[in-house]
Each structure stands twice: as structure tokens, then as C-alpha cells.
Amino acid sequence: MGIELTPSEILYVWDNNNPNRNYQATRFDYYNGDQAILSESKYRYSDGSSRTLVVTNWIKYIVDTHVGFALTRPIKVTMADSDADPTALDNYQKLRRDQGLDALDIEHYKNCLLAGYSVEVHSYDGVNITSAIYPPDDWSFLYDTTGDLLAAILKTVIPAGTFYKTEITDSDIDVYTVYDNKYIRMYYMDDPDDPDTQPTLINEQRHVYGRIPITIFSVSPDKTSFIGDDLISQQ
């Protein structure tokens, strides 16, 4: 089923997922070494300098260990049907090499362990298929009651002082890219801090996939990680 979100619905879907994105961002921060223990005043000397310049980054250690263990051997792909076209495997292996899918698998698994899922976007220019991975906390998704994906929203921010279109921006601009099963639509908000501002449609492109051109990878049906927050609470 196709769906076209209104500007206000885009903002609602985006804002409704804020708690989950904030949670994901916290886990990525800890993985990257941005940890609360490094800034808390009780772990500082009287002159303000940190007493905790060295900590054990357990979440990074365990995530990287899981990824290395799981992907040491290449993922094996076989034909589902004995009478299937054998050239399909050759084409798939060529696609894996051309797109660097082995490297994408590493990033996908890391994202799944940290954020619960990982996002891959597919595009086709009439000749080549391209796969690109995006941070999970840049996205919001709209599902129906059966769990089918109806729309995916990617938000990017053009920071103030960037040359955009014909001028240098004097404030941040929020750009929303909305994917459904027929179209890719792009909206922008030139004053996102104004509560009365709504996204404005600036581009609409019909795609050829017949479905939303996005794959969401996960390690569990409910899109959560088996690596719990206890690892973070210990730091």
C-alpha cells in the first residue's frame, strides 16, 4: 500500500521516534569513547583536570569481538532452488565485489549490535545499482499494524554558513527525504526552530523498485540488540 505523508505527518513521525534515536545516539557515543564517566565532576581533581583519562571501553570491546567472530568467514550464499539460473550467483558475487558488500556487512552488524538495526538504501541510475549504509539514528520509520513498512524518513541538517542553492545560509536547514513504495520526496525547513514552520516539498522522484528501496537489518525480530545497557552502566 502506498502512502503520501503530509508535512505535519512527517514531523509527527520524526518527533515520535525521538526517544529511540536519543537512546541509539547514547550507545554510539559510548562506543566512540564519549562516556559520562569522563566528564563527571566527582572523577576530577580539584583543578578540574580529569582523573579518568583511561577507562576500559567494554561496549566497544564486546561489539568488535562479536563482529569479528561472526564475520571472520565470508557469508555463504547458495541457490534456493536446484533449477534456478546458476548465473544469478555469479551476478550476485560480482555485485558484492563492485559494491564492497563485505565492508558493508561489518558496519551493518556493528550498527545492529549498538542500535538494534541498520539501514541500507538502494538506488538505480539506469545502469548501476548502488547500496549505501546510513546511521540508524538519522531515520524514522512508519509501520502499519501488521509490521509492514509504509514510509521511511531520513533527516539531514545543512548547517548555518553553508552555501546552499544560491546563497550562504544564516541558520540551519533541516532536510527530510521521505521514501515510500513509489516515490522519493525531499522537503526542507529553513527555520526549524519556529514551531509554525512546516517542511516544503522541493523535489519528487518516482523510483522503479515497486517497494520502499530500503533494507533494514536486525539481529532480533523486535529490532533490539542482545548486548544490554548493563555494559554502559558499568562505565
Side-chain angles (χ1 to χ4, degrees):
M1 180 180 69
I3 183 172
E4 181 178 352
L5 299 177
T6 66
S8 60
E9 287 173 335
I10 292 170
L11 294 181
Y12 175 80
V13 173
W14 183 261
D15 293 341
N16 192 52
N17 198 41
N18 277 338
N20 185 53
R21 281 195 307 274
N22 292 337
Y23 170 75
Q24 291 173 331
T26 298
R27 288 172 64 98
F28 277 112
D29 285 345
Y30 268 80
Y31 177 87
N32 292 323
D34 183 6
Q35 301 167 5
I37 194 173
L38 297 176
S39 59
E40 291 185 8
S41 59
K42 65 181 179 180
Y43 299 111
R44 293 185 176 274
Y45 293 109
S46 58
D47 64 357
S49 61
S50 176
R51 292 191 297 165
T52 54
L53 294 178
V54 178
V55 297
T56 301
N57 193 336
W58 286 112
I59 192 169
K60 179 175 177 63
Y61 172 78
I62 293 178
V63 166
D64 288 354
T65 299
H66 270 288
V67 171
F69 178 80
L71 300 180
T72 298
R73 294 183 178 181
I75 296 174
K76 184 178 181 180
V77 179
T78 59
M79 305 297 290
D81 300 315
S82 59
D83 59 347
D85 184 355
T87 62
L89 271 183
D90 295 334
N91 292 335
Y92 175 75
Q93 294 300 337
K94 181 179 184 302
L95 181 65
R96 287 196 66 85
R97 291 192 300 270
D98 292 345
Q99 297 291 326
L101 295 188
D102 288 337
L104 287 184
D105 285 340
I106 294 172
E107 289 301 307
H108 279 313
Y109 195 34
K110 183 183 77 175
N111 286 346
C112 288
L113 295 178
L114 288 170
Y117 56 84
S118 189
V119 183
E120 184 174 286
V121 179
H122 307 279
S123 59
Y124 178 64
D125 62 6
V127 178
N128 298 310
I129 298 173
T130 302
S131 301
I133 189 171
Y134 286 81
D137 52 337
D138 286 347
W139 291 85
S140 280
F141 303 100
L142 177 65
Y143 296 90
D144 66 12
T145 55
T146 65
D148 290 335
L149 181 63
L150 298 181
I153 303 172
L154 169 67
K155 178 182 176 181
T156 54
V157 178
I158 300 174
T162 302
F163 188 83
Y164 178 65
K165 291 187 175 180
T166 60
E167 59 185 6
I168 298 176
T169 60
D170 56 6
S171 63
D172 290 351
I173 296 176
D174 289 350
V175 179
Y176 295 90
T177 306
V178 183
Y179 298 79
D180 62 33
N181 65 344
K182 293 182 180 179
Y183 290 94
I184 303 171
R185 298 181 176 93
M186 186 176 292
Y187 301 77
Y188 85 105
M189 287 178 60
D190 57 0
D191 192 4
D193 293 329
D194 183 350
D196 295 325
T197 301
Q198 293 285 305
T200 301
L201 180 65
I202 58 174
N203 187 48
E204 180 179 81
Q205 176 186 354
R206 190 178 181 96
H207 62 73
V208 299
Y209 284 87
R211 59 179 295 274
I212 298 176
I214 289 172
T215 301
I216 301 174
F217 297 87
S218 63
V219 291
S220 65
D222 61 354
K223 297 182 178 63
T224 59
S225 174
F226 55 80
I227 296 181
D229 294 336
D230 290 344
L231 287 173
I232 293 180
S233 66
Q234 297 301 313
Q235 301 185 180

